Amino acid sequence: MRDLANWKGCPAPQPVLIEGRYVRLEPYDRAAHLEALWHDAFGGMAINPLLKYFTQDDFSGIGDFDAWLSSVQQKSGWITEVFRDKATGKVIGMANYMRADPANGVVEVGGVAHGRAMARSPLSTEAHYLMARHVFEDLGYRRYEWKCHSENQPSRTTAARLGFTFEGIFRQHMISKHANRDTAWFSIIDGEWPLIKTAFEAWLSPENFDGDGRQMRRLEDIRVDLAAKERA
């Protein structure tokens, strides 16, 4: 743990452009991204089953989606980052920096929505690597959080795969779509980041993929091997 005797807090997250090998993170711009998210990334009305575990009611059309996204940005301070596939140029998903606590160096990644084009590819892994790297290395945060509906097993699996540690269930934490939501909490802390970063970079290396684009080593296995080497 770092020495906090002279801790002065961190900058609040701001919209940021980050270039990766496979994906580009772009600050949300309504004119450039709204229709691309709705149509290209989320398939229009197919967005509702995709966002099953989000707390807002189902959308009846792009107008509802627009109003919701504007509201969480303006009222709740979400910083929306849009994911663009560098190979195709298409918008493929989004995530948000949210519930930032700069005084204590804590911020959450949430409102995560991966379009179908992100499945079974390096795109989602690199997008989350870039978001985490920005938080820890550019902004100096101590804690990076991931929270999801306790019944959202795909999100829980993704968090664990990315290196977040499960911390427990907050019972009756929220009301979601007019029903109770127990929330699963995960985090990465700054002392864990160097190993997690090294694992991300090893997994994302082109040498980790065969000629058909299949991974050679799993991200989880790379982390385990690195941790074993640190203990040796």
Side-chain angles (χ1 to χ4, degrees), residues 18-63:
I18 309 176
E19 292 278 353
R21 178 180 288 118
Y22 306 105
V23 69
R24 177 186 302 115
L25 273 57
E26 301 176 1
Y28 177 77
D29 176 83
R30 184 178 181 276
H33 296 132
L34 175 62
E35 291 199 5
L37 282 170
W38 179 260
H39 295 293
D40 297 339
F42 304 141
M45 293 304 292
I47 195 172
N48 289 322
L50 178 66
L51 305 189
K52 173 183 177 181
Y53 292 105
F54 279 35
T55 58
Q56 85 292 329
D57 291 338
D58 284 352
F59 302 119
S60 62
I62 191 172

Side-chain angles (χ1 to χ4, degrees), residues 21-25 83-88 90 92 114 116-130 203-204 209:
R21 178 180 288 118
Y22 306 105
V23 69
R24 177 186 302 115
L25 273 57
F83 306 152
R84 188 181 297 276
D85 184 343
K86 293 181 70 170
T88 67
K90 289 186 175 295
I92 52 174
H114 296 167
R116 292 186 182 276
M118 298 185 74
R120 300 185 181 280
S121 78
L123 298 168
S124 62
T125 302
E126 185 177 56
H128 287 289
Y129 159 67
L130 295 173
W203 188 89
L204 288 164
F209 298 91

Side-chain angles (χ1 to χ4, degrees), residues 21-22 122 125-126 129-130 133 137 162 193-209 217 219 222-223 226:
R21 178 180 288 118
Y22 306 105
T125 302
E126 185 177 56
Y129 159 67
L130 295 173
R133 188 184 69 184
E137 299 186 9
L162 294 174
W193 174 244
L195 185 147
I196 291 172
K197 174 187 177 179
T198 300
F200 269 129
E201 292 178 347
W203 188 89
L204 288 164
S205 170
E207 289 73 29
N208 191 45
F209 298 91
R217 300 175 67 204
L219 181 58
I222 295 172
R223 277 200 310 273
L226 289 170

Side-chain angles (χ1 to χ4, degrees), residues 44-211:
M45 293 304 292
I47 195 172
N48 289 322
L50 178 66
L51 305 189
K52 173 183 177 181
Y53 292 105
F54 279 35
T55 58
Q56 85 292 329
D57 291 338
D58 284 352
F59 302 119
S60 62
I62 191 172
D64 282 351
F65 177 64
D66 181 24
W68 167 77
L69 195 51
S70 296
S71 176
V72 294
Q73 291 164 351
Q74 295 168 12
K75 297 180 181 179
S76 301
W78 290 21
I79 304 298
T80 305
E81 293 291 320
V82 174
F83 306 152
R84 188 181 297 276
D85 184 343
K86 293 181 70 170
T88 67
K90 289 186 175 295
V91 167
I92 52 174
M94 68 176 189
N96 299 264
Y97 293 124
M98 52 195 290
R99 298 188 179 93
D101 179 0
N104 290 298
V106 179
V107 67
E108 177 181 345
V109 58
V112 176
H114 296 167
R116 292 186 182 276
M118 298 185 74
R120 300 185 181 280
S121 78
L123 298 168
S124 62
T125 302
E126 185 177 56
H128 287 289
Y129 159 67
L130 295 173
M131 292 193 75
R133 188 184 69 184
H134 178 63
V135 162
F136 286 116
E137 299 186 9
D138 299 331
L139 302 181
Y141 275 67
R142 303 174 60 237
R143 174 179 168 88
Y144 191 45
E145 297 179 335
W146 179 295
K147 305 186 185 85
C148 62
H149 197 301
S150 63
E151 297 175 4
N152 189 350
Q153 192 57 54
S155 182
R156 294 177 66 166
T157 299
T158 297
R161 176 183 174 273
L162 294 174
F164 287 83
T165 295
F166 175 63
E167 296 182 325
I169 302 292
F170 275 45
R171 300 176 299 163
Q172 295 190 12
H173 177 228
M174 302 174 69
I175 296 172
S176 177
K177 291 184 167 64
H178 313 286
N180 177 63
R181 165 175 151 165
D182 296 341
T183 298
W185 284 49
F186 297 80
S187 75
I188 299 171
I189 57 175
D190 54 357
E192 299 165 340
W193 174 244
L195 185 147
I196 291 172
K197 174 187 177 179
T198 300
F200 269 129
E201 292 178 347
W203 188 89
L204 288 164
S205 170
E207 289 73 29
N208 191 45
F209 298 91
D210 65 18

